[in-house]
Amino acid sequence: MDLYEKIRTLPTKPGCYLYKNAEGVVIYVGKAKNLRSRVRSYFLEANQRQNPKTGSLMREAVDVEYIVVDNEREALALENNLIKQRKPRFNILLRDDKTYPYIKLTLHDRHPKVFVTRKLRKDGSAYFGPFFPGNLAYRLVDLIHRSFLIPSCKVDLNRYHPRACLQYYIKRCLGPCVQDLVTNEAYRETIRDVQLFLEGRTEELEKKLSQRMAQAAEDMQFELAARLRDQIVTVHQMQDKQRMASADNEDADVFGFHYENQMLAVNLFHMRGGKMVDRRDFFWEDLPEFLNTSLNDELESEQEEVCHPERSEGPASPPLEEASISTLEPSPDHSAPQIEQENIDARAPIQRAALTDMGTELGEAFSPAVFFSALLKQLYLDQSYVPRSILVPVDFPDRAVLADLLSERTKHRIELAAPQRGDKRSLVDLVCQNAKQSYDQRFRVLQPNQKAIQQALQDALMLGELPTRIECFDISHIQGAETVASMVVWENGEMKKADYRKFQIKTVSGNDDFASMREVIQRRYKRLLDDKKPFPSLVLIDGGLGQLHAAYMALEEIGVTLQPLASIAKKEEIIYVHGQEDEPVVLDRRSPVLHLVQKIRDESHRFAVTYHRKRRQIRDRESELDAIPGVGARTRQRLIQHFGSVRGIKQAAEQNPDALTAVVTKATAAKIQSHFQSEPALPILQ
């Protein structure tokens, strides 16, 4: 069916429409109160001629599909879901989908655990949060582990293990991983205490703890009574620090932006209890093509079509009504002639002045109203917690509908406003000023200070504390020969060369990077345990998931299960954090955090390669083979290249002498065999 003919069959009901290109790929998703009228408006020649965004879309579109819904609210929610699923090129896409952390209590497990997560799933667990700032969640979880003795390791608690780890013996865990160390009833009672603590029901929890403390003291269980006393103190200390989803009316999210040179920076300030508790940055360097139009063009197009509707060519369209100055909402009686067009009246000087003050002139090729309409849908429609007040710098057509939909989903009224004056407007302007600073720092290549990078690294890798020392490991060899490892140290902003270490691989033969990494990690941190020295803030592995898991196995064998551990994969530059392998960290190529991790990784690689080359030079200069008559430098080199090492040559001579004849003559092979059988081996240089 021809596209024009298909449009005539479209219903006049609310819904979403999907434009597709010749390959069948969805390139734009939009919503409408009247599908036929809205889709038909894209084909008006006047719209395509005067608005480059519409013309660019329609030159590529060859088909359109639609989905009918009951009302505009459902269309709004469906549009958001389709954009996130299909990722159309002509829609604004929120690439930074990171959320603030929650605390997860796995109630469905036999022995529930508590840990931090950023994803909410319908898995029967209880989620608490979000927490502002992000490190508050980690501090609370650490406090729960220390005070309530809930396990903090990643050991599988759905089965029993033969022995407990170090955390149990230093009285930091109840030990549910070993049978009979704690009863199921006692563990479940502790979990109920943790749940009351996280739900903020501190009075009820304090009453229960006080009763159990008195009972323990009466039964002369003084150690248990002391632990319950400490838990009561903890509840008092954390009562004022905890920020939970049941926030008061003073909670607000405030947006600001700065647009320049076709690049955009957006700042989001989180206000909780009247105080700013955290901020979030968003950046766009490649805004979709349909935004490359000026507001002046849109206004002129609107006014021309209103005043001269007979000039429009193509299928007939209902006349546009004048936009409301107070609400800027689209009229329900007409279709929009552009994609998600914001109907800004020419007589609204307040809106024009606001846009100019924020660094976005009306003549520039950027539409803030279109942008914030798309951004807020993607940010809030899928969130379990939405603050009661959301302040944006510009008004947009879907504002009232989106506010109603969010109010319906959260069961409380959501104020979504674009203030024009007063204290709220001053707050929005302040956020816009910060957005300008973020723009300069990102796009003008201003290097952030070291503490800012550390904080960003902590947030990106979900570390429990600010990283002050990072130890990075790499393996180097050529086809398993002369395998060595390196460890470099980054500490407080600079590489600490005095703490660099070199390792010769002693227990692994051949090409096995995983086993080599396991040996090095175990040797390094067993030494730290024996010497009772502090561990680094982060152990970084040069490699992918295989090297990461090998490193964790080495730590687990020596009883270390809480050490932050990550790896950076070559080529893709993806960072894997142990315990979150399904959610790898993908940083922007311009990110100072990624540059720091790459710098440490590259230094580790350089140090390993340098040591490996040195070992090869020593091997080439001095070898046990030099003592064998008839084996010169060239023969020795061929043997090493073929068998990988002197050890490999010795094994071949002892187990399969015929293998030597692949490289040397039978006479020389006999001499090599005789040497290893009759003379004690000299120390082998690794």
Side-chain angles (χ1 to χ4, degrees), residues 27 31 39 163 185 201 217 233 240 249 260 305 315 335 342 401 445-446 493 495 502 592 602 609 629 654 673:
I27 57 176
K31 69 168 184 64
V39 174
R163 57 188 293 270
E185 292 76 13
R201 296 158 61 183
V233 173
D240 295 331
N249 291 328
E260 188 178 340
E305 188 166 352
S335 62
E342 67 280 12
V401 178
V445 199
L446 297 180
M495 304 306 298
K502 306 171 185 174
D602 293 344
V609 169
E654 293 175 348
Q673 182 183 12

Side-chain angles (χ1 to χ4, degrees), residues 73-337:
R73 291 185 188 177
E74 292 183 8
L76 196 72
L78 178 60
E79 179 194 27
N80 173 65
N81 292 333
L82 290 174
I83 289 174
K84 290 187 174 181
Q85 290 174 8
R86 304 299 183 92
K87 295 181 169 38
R89 183 168 63 86
F90 282 85
N91 286 93
I92 294 171
L93 301 178
L94 181 62
R95 293 181 175 85
D96 179 14
D97 59 350
K98 180 188 68 176
T99 60
Y100 280 88
Y102 292 78
I103 293 179
K104 180 177 180 178
L105 181 59
T106 58
L107 296 175
H108 60 286
D109 291 343
R110 181 174 67 176
H111 294 102
K113 297 169 69 173
V114 177
F115 57 89
V116 178
T117 183
R118 290 184 185 269
K119 289 192 174 182
L120 303 181
R121 294 185 173 91
K122 295 181 180 180
D123 55 4
S125 301
Y127 292 87
F128 305 90
F131 290 89
F132 304 90
N135 62 7
L136 176 60
Y138 295 95
R139 289 188 279 120
L140 280 174
V141 168
D142 181 66
L143 182 66
I144 290 171
H145 290 158
R146 287 188 287 107
S147 299
F148 294 90
L149 308 188
I150 299 299
S152 58
C153 59
K154 296 180 175 62
V155 174
D156 182 11
L157 297 184
N158 290 319
R159 63 184 181 89
Y160 289 117
H161 298 263
R163 57 188 293 270
C165 66
L166 179 63
Q167 295 295 311
Y168 172 77
Y169 294 104
I170 62 175
K171 301 187 184 301
R172 289 283 300 274
C173 176
L174 293 173
C177 57
V178 178
Q179 194 171 9
D180 298 331
L181 288 184
V182 61
T183 63
N184 290 336
E185 292 76 13
Y187 192 84
R188 281 287 174 180
E189 188 173 32
T190 303
I191 290 297
R192 286 193 291 270
D193 293 343
V194 172
Q195 190 169 0
L196 290 174
F197 177 70
L198 291 172
E199 290 175 352
R201 296 158 61 183
T202 54
E203 293 183 2
E204 181 179 352
L205 175 59
E206 185 178 347
K207 182 178 180 181
K208 287 182 59 178
L209 293 176
S210 298
Q211 292 175 351
R212 284 158 52 192
M213 180 181 66
Q215 184 63 42
E218 184 177 345
D219 296 340
M220 294 187 178
Q221 297 178 344
F222 299 115
E223 186 174 349
L224 175 60
R227 180 160 61 84
L228 294 170
R229 177 203 60 201
D230 294 340
Q231 291 178 7
I232 295 174
V233 173
T234 299
V235 171
H236 280 297
Q237 290 176 345
M238 296 304 298
Q239 197 166 4
D240 295 331
K241 296 182 180 180
Q242 201 166 342
R243 306 276 181 192
M244 304 184 65
S246 57
D248 55 25
N249 291 328
E250 296 179 349
D251 287 7
D253 281 355
V254 188
F255 288 85
F257 76 96
H258 181 80
Y259 175 80
E260 188 178 340
N261 296 328
Q262 298 183 350
M263 294 181 289
L264 176 67
V266 174
N267 264 204
L268 167 57
F269 278 23
H270 296 287
M271 312 292 292
R272 298 295 180 263
K275 298 179 182 179
M276 194 196 82
V277 296
D278 208 352
R279 60 176 288 182
R280 189 174 174 186
D281 298 326
F282 303 92
F283 301 99
W284 281 265
E285 303 175 51
D286 50 351
L287 288 170
E289 295 178 14
F290 81 94
L291 284 180
N292 294 332
T293 184
S294 70
L295 293 180
N296 283 338
D297 290 341
E298 291 189 7
L299 291 172
E300 292 170 2
S301 175
E302 283 186 28
Q303 294 169 354
E304 183 175 356
E305 188 166 352
V306 171
C307 300
H308 308 284
E310 68 279 2
R311 295 183 184 178
S312 302
E313 300 180 11
S317 175
L320 295 177
E321 295 184 1
E322 189 175 50
S324 168
I325 298 177
S326 59
T327 63
L328 299 177
E329 289 295 318
S331 171
D333 300 326
H334 67 76
S335 62

Side-chain angles (χ1 to χ4, degrees), residues 590-610:
R590 297 172 181 261
S591 169
V593 175
L594 179 60
H595 293 167
L596 173 61
V597 176
Q598 288 173 330
K599 173 186 174 182
I600 299 172
R601 187 271 315 276
D602 293 344
E603 175 67 2
S604 175
H605 182 69
R606 180 200 64 80
F607 194 52
V609 169
T610 301

Side-chain angles (χ1 to χ4, degrees), residues 380-395:
Y380 292 110
L381 284 180
D382 297 331
Q383 292 299 315
S384 61
Y385 171 66
V386 180
R388 294 181 180 270
S389 180
I390 302 173
L391 306 180
V392 293
V394 294
D395 211 334

Side-chain angles (χ1 to χ4, degrees), residues 21 31 65 120-121 135 191 195 228 255 362 375 393 401 407 467 478 536-538 561 620 649 665:
N21 61 13
K31 69 168 184 64
E65 291 185 358
L120 303 181
R121 294 185 173 91
N135 62 7
I191 290 297
Q195 190 169 0
L228 294 170
F255 288 85
L362 290 176
L375 176 65
V401 178
S407 300
I478 294 181
S537 307
L538 174 68
T561 57
D620 292 341
I649 299 171
T665 62

Side-chain angles (χ1 to χ4, degrees), residues 582-593:
D582 295 336
E583 303 173 17
V585 179
V586 182
L587 298 173
D588 187 89
R589 59 185 177 84
R590 297 172 181 261
S591 169
V593 175

